Amino acid sequence: MSLSSQSSVLPAYDVVIPCFDRSALIEDAVASVLAQSHRPARIIVVDDGSDDDTPDVLARMEQRQAIVQAVLLPRNQGASGARNAGLALARETWVAFLDSDDRWLPDAAKALLGAAAADRLDVIVGHFRRAWPDGRIDERECGWNGEDIRAGLARTGAVGPSWSMIRTATARSVGGFDPSFHNCNDWDFYTRAAAAGARFGRIDEAVALYHCAETGRLSHDRLLGGTNAARVLSHRYLASAGPRTL
């Protein structure tokens, strides 16, 4: 369902940002959250066993900003493991999962949580804009048309962590992200949430910049992506939902 994001009461939320070797990017991601008109209770940045100086960058951010909490994992666990480590520490009703090479746009939290407060939903999805290395920024887009979420998930990974929020209890009830997925883990996560009865809603605002052509995105591994997409589409919830895209 497509929603208005107008509400006078905005619930509290935490933000989880997983990162690996992102010393050159992580401060910008955190800054985009700190700049929100409705700020989070905490920004939980999970370092996934980085080999660069990301832990030092996080330590400095912790010292400067009281709401930033750094979590240093002793070894690399992948995006799912890092997100789950952050989810375990989330205390607020809502949680957002922002990728370390993406950015929130101004008033993203206000737009997402305005709809959440007004409509008693479990997952709120916004639009995003693709940002390219040459500085181009595309028009807003969303992989889900706001109607039947089951049909949307049966076609593609319709929801992205960087442009959505989910109730913390809902995220925990489905066991968080599956570490066996090295990509498509978000597609699997939202499929399991929908299968468990989570109520999805979409707003019309663009809430995030999705940075394209950055190195290190697992979504660029097409062979592995095809294998994992097939795994998601075999979920019983999607098995008879209509046309599929691999």
Side-chain angles (χ1 to χ4, degrees), residues 52-128:
D52 67 359
D53 61 345
T54 297
D56 296 332
V57 173
L58 299 186
R60 291 194 294 270
M61 284 195 293
E62 272 191 312
Q63 291 174 353
R64 294 195 305 263
Q65 297 287 343
I67 68 171
V68 173
Q69 177 179 355
V71 179
L72 306 182
L73 300 182
R75 60 180 178 81
N76 184 267
Q77 298 183 20
S80 292
R83 286 175 181 151
N84 289 341
L87 175 61
L89 297 174
R91 295 193 295 251
E92 302 304 331
T93 303
W94 288 85
V95 63
F97 298 97
L98 177 65
D99 285 347
S100 59
D101 49 355
D102 292 337
R103 309 286 180 269
W104 267 1
L105 293 169
D107 289 330
K110 182 179 179 181
L112 290 164
L113 289 171
D119 293 277
R120 301 176 183 267
L121 298 166
D122 302 304
V123 182
I124 308 296
V125 184
H127 286 66
F128 65 94

Side-chain angles (χ1 to χ4, degrees), residues 32-56:
S32 75
V33 179
L34 291 170
Q36 295 297 305
S37 56
H38 178 49
R39 296 180 90 191
R42 284 187 306 163
I43 305 172
I44 305 165
V45 188
V46 183
D47 178 73
D48 193 20
S50 289
D51 296 318
D52 67 359
D53 61 345
T54 297
D56 296 332

Side-chain angles (χ1 to χ4, degrees), residues 210-230:
Y210 173 82
H211 282 77
C212 300
E214 294 284 4
T215 59
R217 274 201 185 268
L218 283 171
S219 58
H220 293 168
D221 188 331
R222 295 186 177 224
L223 179 60
L224 184 60
T227 299
N228 284 326

Side-chain angles (χ1 to χ4, degrees), residues 25 153 161 167 179 208:
L25 297 172
L153 289 167
R167 288 188 186 273

